[in-house]
Every structure is written in structure tokens, then in C-alpha cells.
Amino acid sequence: MTRRVPMAAVTAVLFSLTVQAQEHRLPTHRVTTVENYVQHVFFETDTSGSMIFWGSCQHTHQGKIVYSDEIADPPQGPFMDIDRAMVALSARDAHVSWKRDGDGFVRVTDDRVSGDVLRVRLKRIRFTAVADSTAAVEQVMSAPEVRDYLKRKHIDGVVLRTTFITPGTVLPKWSADLGDVTVAQALDRIIKFFGGAWFYGECSCGSSRRVTVRAG
């Protein structure tokens, strides 16, 4: 006997797929930001890594953000190979370079960024049954060494939540005990478990600075 699938369930699945496609498609108006472009390429090529970028300090409905440079007429995919996508980006933005490290991670870097927060060393950080990558990033940025550094250097540190979990979804939880690692190394460990990439943005706000960190 054939079982009929409730129409509400079908509608929910189609809506979910449509939203996911919209989230990872480059804008059709032919203008995007460097950050959005890189995130799209990471997703499209199933690549893990990191991006460090410079931008302007803005306050939007998302909160305090670092808005990366815009790209008019961005390179168009689909990109099956991230190397080609990044070569195309570097040709449009001379500040951006990239490399692949020994772990296979792709590192995208803007030469205007100090990145000093990423070099802050944590004596010890313990993750216990962390449910998602954003929660893990929040724990890193709340470490005493990071809070002290941000305060001394007059840096506004913001963690952007971009990890959204569908209610009822059961995901593996991460536990780890890390000692004598930098912020960047801790972020790498998060991505190695949860997948995706981490993004670090930096901008100047008068006499102070702002950094944003997120996993995506």
C-alpha cells in the first residue's frame, strides 16, 4: 500500500531547499562583497579554510559588522576548482592573496589586516559538548586572554552568529581540551570538527578598532 506524504511536509522540504539555494547563490545584480564571494566559493567547492579581510565599520540589522569591499561584476561560477576562483578574485582585488597550507585548508588574506587578535595565545581552553561552531567561536572570544587583549587595545570584538540549526536536528557535539594555542589555531580546530570555514573581519572606528569573527 502506497503511503501518501503530507502536503505540508513536501512544502516544508521545497521551502528549505529554496532558501538554501538563495543563501549560497551569488547575487544576480552583479555586485557582491569579497566576503560573500569567498564564502560562496568555499561552499561551492566544498573547501575548508579561513578568510581574514579588511572593511568598513557598519551597524546594520545584523548588529555591528565589518563590511568588506564590494566587487562589481564578480567572477561567475560555477567553480569546480577553488584555485581558479581565487585566481579570478586576486585579479580583481590586489589586496587579497591566498594559499593552501599543509592541512589542505585554503587561507584567504587581505594585506591591510593586522590580525593581532588571532595571534593572542590561550593558556588553556576546554570545550565540553559544544553543539555548533558559533558556540565554540563565542567561547574562544570569551577566553580571559582575549577579553583582556581587546580591552587593553580598545578593540570592539564581535562574534556573528551564522550557524542556524533546524529544531529537532541532532548534531554531534564537540569536546576538546586545548593548551597553549593561538586564537587562530583554536578556530582551526573548530572548523576541523564542524566543517566550513572561519571568517575574521577588521575595520577602524576612529581611535578604536572592531573585529568580527564567525564560522560559516
Side-chain angles (χ1 to χ4, degrees):
M1 180 178 179
T2 303
R3 299 182 61 184
R4 298 181 62 185
V5 179
M7 183 57 67
V10 175
T11 302
V13 171
L14 292 176
F15 177 78
S16 176
L17 292 174
T18 300
V19 169
Q20 291 176 24
Q22 291 174 346
E23 287 177 345
H24 299 294
R25 185 182 301 124
L26 282 176
T28 57
H29 49 67
R30 306 285 288 178
V31 175
T32 189
T33 64
V34 174
E35 181 186 10
N36 285 343
Y37 174 85
V38 172
Q39 176 165 341
H40 173 82
V41 170
F42 272 132
F43 175 83
E44 191 170 59
T45 60
D46 193 24
T47 300
S48 291
S50 63
M51 178 185 186
I52 302 173
F53 65 93
W54 179 262
S56 60
C57 298
Q58 295 191 17
H59 201 150
T60 70
H61 66 280
Q62 295 177 294
K64 296 178 179 179
I65 67 169
V66 178
Y67 188 79
S68 64
D69 294 343
E70 290 187 343
I71 310 173
D73 191 27
Q76 296 297 298
F79 294 107
M80 304 305 293
D81 183 344
I82 194 170
D83 293 2
R84 294 184 179 181
M86 294 312 304
V87 167
L89 174 61
S90 298
R92 282 170 167 76
D93 191 332
H95 292 291
V96 177
S97 62
W98 64 281
K99 66 178 181 180
R100 193 185 302 273
D101 68 15
D103 292 332
F105 274 28
V106 170
R107 309 293 187 177
V108 182
T109 307
D110 189 311
D111 61 16
R112 296 169 292 181
V113 176
S114 165
D116 53 331
V117 175
L118 295 172
R119 295 189 292 272
V120 173
R121 189 162 292 277
L122 312 177
K123 293 180 180 178
R124 183 180 183 184
I125 184 166
R126 175 178 293 173
F127 301 93
T128 305
V130 180
D132 61 71
S133 55
T134 297
V137 171
E138 290 173 339
Q139 190 170 334
V140 170
M141 296 303 291
S142 297
E145 297 91 340
V146 177
R147 293 201 311 266
D148 178 65
Y149 187 85
L150 295 176
K151 183 177 180 181
R152 286 190 291 108
K153 298 295 183 177
H154 306 289
I155 301 173
D156 182 18
V158 180
V159 176
L160 300 177
R161 173 161 281 278
T162 55
T163 304
F164 300 97
I165 302 174
T166 304
T169 302
V170 179
L171 297 176
K173 292 181 170 55
W174 183 49
S175 296
D177 192 353
L178 308 181
D180 191 28
V181 294
T182 64
V183 169
Q185 289 169 336
L187 295 176
D188 281 354
R189 289 292 299 273
I190 293 169
I191 295 305
K192 286 178 180 178
F193 181 84
F194 290 103
W198 57 263
F199 295 79
Y200 171 94
E202 193 172 299
C203 62
S204 293
C205 307
S207 60
S208 62
R209 281 188 295 150
R210 175 185 300 163
V211 298
T212 58
V213 186
R214 69 180 179 89

